[in-house]
Amino acid sequence: MNTVVLAVIYVAVGAGILYGVFRIVKLFGAGVGRIKEIADKIEAGDVEAQQTPKSLSAVDSLVLPRILKDFPEFDIQLMKRRAEQDAMRYLGSLQNRKSQFTEKDGIRSFLERMEELVNWTATAPKWLRPRVHRAALSNYENRSNYCYVTYQVAYQYEMNERTWQKKLEIRYLAADEPDMEKKISVYNCPNCGAPVGSIGQKKCEYCGTVLNPSAILSWYIFEINEIA
Ligand SMILES: [Zn+2]
């Protein structure tokens, strides 16, 4: 009698253990399946992220009328192309560890920062096929004597067998010469010498002389920053 009871207990316990093992294996298998599924999703997202250029904050319609009020000759297409070219030159400068910008391109402090940047870079980044997608006007600031136009540029390069989508911000300053640090008040009335309060000002407040200071200004790179 006792042996029969024991046998029943053994069978019951054995079945319980087997079932437990079965459950664990099943759960584990499902877990592996889930992990693989998640990994596939991440990989798919990653591939998409590699192929999708960074989105730019483009505000042309908001900003352009304000720029044109101060700078009637502002050429939106030309500046866009220039921002794209400046982005390529920035990447080329880092890649070749030699600044490709000259006195015509940027203010002195920017040129100095570029020199420092290319000299500080211990080894040239191994970017392959750097390419600019596009540039977009992202901001305009008129701070009385100083006017800035900002462009965002989406670009990509290949490195370590994947594509990296990146973004730069280029800020241009309207100035009549690159050595802006020398001059605090940039503009004076050509007739009476009174300071001109704003670049967009069309008439001297003191003598009424018609001003067109923006005509003599060029856009110099003020700074270039990598942004997220
Ligand atoms: Zn005047």
Side-chain angles (χ1 to χ4, degrees):
M1 205 56 178
N2 272 349
T3 47
V4 172
V5 170
L6 273 174
V8 167
I9 288 168
Y10 282 144
V11 168
V13 168
I17 288 168
L18 272 176
Y19 180 69
V21 168
F22 169 76
R23 286 285 301 168
I24 288 165
V25 168
K26 203 180 156 198
L27 274 175
F28 184 68
V32 168
R34 277 294 300 280
I35 288 164
K36 181 145 188 335
E37 194 181 304
I38 292 165
D40 286 349
K41 262 188 197 155
I42 290 170
E43 204 180 314
D46 201 35
V47 168
E48 201 186 303
Q50 285 184 43
Q51 287 165 352
T52 311
K54 288 268 183 190
S55 61
L56 305 175
S57 117
V59 289
D60 294 29
S61 57
L62 293 171
V63 167
L64 197 57
R66 287 173 48 222
I67 297 179
L68 290 174
K69 186 174 155 278
D70 294 352
F71 298 90
E73 67 289 337
F74 187 84
D75 186 331
I76 178 115
Q77 287 309 321
L78 197 71
M79 273 305 280
K80 197 175 142 88
R81 276 206 301 281
R82 181 175 166 197
E84 289 167 356
Q85 283 165 7
D86 283 341
M88 278 309 285
R89 279 152 101 193
Y90 174 80
L91 300 177
S93 300
L94 297 183
Q95 251 189 319
N96 301 312
R97 293 188 65 202
K98 190 178 186 312
S99 177
Q100 296 180 2
F101 295 100
T102 70
E103 295 239 324
K104 285 187 302 220
D105 305 313
I107 62 162
R108 192 138 303 164
S109 66
F110 165 75
L111 298 174
E112 284 167 6
R113 276 202 304 274
M114 276 309 295
E115 288 297 334
E116 284 168 6
L117 194 60
V118 296
N119 288 328
W120 281 346
T121 316
T123 52
K126 290 181 175 53
W127 299 334
L128 295 170
R129 290 174 282 279
R131 185 161 72 86
V132 162
H133 294 296
R134 66 186 195 99
L137 182 61
S138 70
N139 198 16
Y140 175 60
E141 300 153 85
N142 181 338
R143 300 184 180 172
S144 66
N145 276 336
Y146 299 118
C147 291
Y148 302 91
V149 161
T150 306
Y151 277 80
Q152 288 189 354
V153 185
Y155 68 98
Q156 70 168 55
Y157 55 79
E158 289 159 39
M159 191 174 67
N160 298 335
E161 290 176 9
R162 61 160 287 176
T163 307
W164 303 81
Q165 299 293 344
K166 300 272 174 162
K167 214 158 54 159
L168 282 179
E169 202 166 72
I170 307 178
R171 200 153 164 239
Y172 295 93
L173 167 77
D176 60 349
E177 64 158 305
D179 218 352
M180 66 163 282
E181 286 86 350
K182 269 191 193 163
K183 296 174 161 189
I184 302 301
S185 175
V186 189
Y187 309 105
N188 296 85
C189 168
N191 184 44
C192 74
V196 175
S198 157
I199 282 172
Q201 203 174 312
K202 300 288 180 269
K203 253 186 187 177
C204 172
E205 285 177 354
Y206 297 90
C207 71
T209 297
V210 175
L211 304 168
N212 187 17
S214 66
I216 53 157
L217 300 175
S218 322
W219 294 99
Y220 288 94
I221 301 172
F222 182 73
E223 59 185 349
I224 298 182
N225 292 306
E226 282 161 64
I227 54 169

